[in-house]
């Protein structure tokens, strides 16, 4: 389990009870956690624990020339889907009429979302816009098909999982908590430098 856990961490996995139950239980043991931390330290990485999500992930000890290219590529990947993910979260809050954001272990029943979208033109229009951009871009026109496609995409990206493939119940993973952490970081940090058009998009989204 040590090798499997380290491999998951080094490939960017967010290890939480929902997404990686075996690796999560392995890391809950102090001796195992120390063993993984020591190994990652030799690679100039830390085993980071996100208390709000009860999740573990891998971070660099410091940013320098040796990893700046890798970090830039990672940030570019995150930036490309960051705005659509936030728009999805906002859309979900509106559709479910709740103030509780989607976090690790949250449960969403896809079947319960069909009616709100079918009877609300504003929701349908927002959904149409969301499915016109990556990673949720699709040619599907029916509201139900668009929702199914989005949830399947989120499942592929590791944000949602199902206990079985035929279920309409989706369980959120700690990746959503990382999104909220990133929002806080972008709001608080004065060191983030983006191209002018990206900076404008962030201001529109976060302020």
């Amino acid at each position: 389990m040590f090798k499997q856990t380290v491999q998951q961490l080094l490939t960017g996995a967010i290890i939480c009870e929902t997404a990686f139950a075996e690796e999560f239980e392995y890391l809950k043991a102090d001796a195992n956690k120390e063993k993984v931390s020591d190994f990652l330290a030799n690679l100039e990485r830390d085993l980071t624990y996100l208390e709000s999500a009860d999740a573990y992930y891998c971070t660099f000890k410091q940013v320098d020339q040796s990893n700046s290219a890798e970090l830039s590529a990672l940030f570019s990947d995150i930036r490309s889907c960051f705005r659509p993910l936030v728009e999805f979260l906002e859309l979900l809050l509106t559709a479910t009429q709740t103030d509780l954001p989607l976090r690790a272990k949250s449960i969403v029943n896809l079947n319960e979302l069909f009616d709100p979208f079918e009877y609300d033109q504003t929701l349908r229009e927002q959904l149409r816009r969301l499915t016109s951009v990556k990673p949720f871009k699709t040619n599907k026109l029916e509201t139900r098909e668009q929702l199914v496609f989005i949830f399947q995409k989120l499942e592929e990206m590791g944000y949602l999982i199902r206990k079985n493939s035929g279920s309409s119940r989706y369980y959120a993973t700690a990746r959503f908590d990382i999104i909220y952490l990133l929002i806080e970081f972008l709001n608080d940090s004065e060191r983030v430098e983006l191209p002018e058009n990206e900076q404008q998009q962030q201001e529109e989204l976060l302020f």
Side-chain angles (χ1 to χ4, degrees):
M1 187 54 66
F2 168 80
K3 181 179 180 180
Q4 182 175 322
T5 301
V6 168
Q7 286 178 335
Q8 293 287 8
L9 288 166
L10 290 176
T11 54
I14 312 297
I15 295 181
C16 63
E17 187 175 8
T18 304
F20 299 96
E22 293 182 355
E23 292 86 345
F24 177 80
E25 287 301 321
Y26 178 79
L27 287 173
K28 294 300 284 186
D30 290 339
N32 296 335
K33 183 165 54 179
E34 183 177 355
K35 184 178 179 181
V36 171
S37 294
D38 290 344
F39 180 85
L40 292 176
N42 292 327
L43 302 177
E44 297 298 322
R45 288 167 169 82
D46 285 323
L47 177 64
T48 301
Y49 176 68
L50 181 59
E51 185 175 2
S52 62
D54 196 15
Y56 302 89
Y57 59 102
C58 183
T59 57
F60 287 101
K61 282 186 173 294
Q62 61 183 15
V63 179
D64 53 35
Q65 290 185 346
S66 66
N67 56 34
S68 60
E70 185 175 351
L71 282 171
S72 295
L74 176 62
F75 187 79
S76 180
D77 290 340
I78 295 174
R79 187 175 62 190
S80 66
C81 62
F82 177 70
R83 186 180 182 90
L85 283 168
V86 174
E87 289 181 351
F88 163 77
L89 290 169
E90 292 175 345
L91 187 60
L92 187 64
L93 286 176
T94 303
T96 56
Q97 297 183 343
T98 179
D99 295 329
L100 298 176
L102 200 61
R103 292 188 179 275
K105 299 182 182 179
S106 296
I107 301 174
V108 182
N109 192 323
L110 177 57
N111 288 341
E112 295 177 355
L113 292 177
F114 292 150
D115 282 351
F117 279 89
E118 287 187 3
Y119 293 108
D120 191 318
Q121 183 176 352
T122 301
L123 286 176
R124 291 198 303 273
E125 179 60 26
Q126 292 174 333
L127 180 63
R128 185 197 63 79
R129 289 199 299 268
L130 184 59
T131 55
S132 67
V133 296
K134 294 181 178 181
F136 303 129
K137 188 173 184 179
T138 177
N139 293 325
K140 299 181 184 300
L141 300 176
E142 295 294 330
T143 299
R144 293 193 176 204
E145 292 181 340
Q146 291 173 338
L147 285 169
V148 168
F149 179 83
I150 288 176
F151 273 69
Q152 289 176 343
K153 197 67 179 179
L154 288 169
E155 191 174 16
E156 291 177 9
M157 297 166 67
Y159 287 90
L160 296 172
I161 70 166
R162 287 181 288 177
K163 302 300 183 182
N164 62 75
S165 59
S167 175
S168 64
R169 288 167 61 88
Y170 287 80
Y171 296 79
T173 72
R175 283 194 174 276
F176 282 114
D177 296 79
I178 297 296
I179 292 294
Y180 304 131
L181 192 65
L182 181 57
I183 290 174
E184 293 176 6
F185 172 77
L186 292 175
N187 275 328
D188 295 341
S189 177
E190 298 178 354
R191 296 176 300 166
V192 177
E193 297 182 1
L194 295 172
E196 183 176 349
N197 61 329
E198 284 293 340
Q199 184 65 46
Q200 181 179 358
Q201 287 183 0
Q202 278 190 3
E203 290 172 355
E204 292 173 355
L205 179 61
L206 302 177
F207 297 99

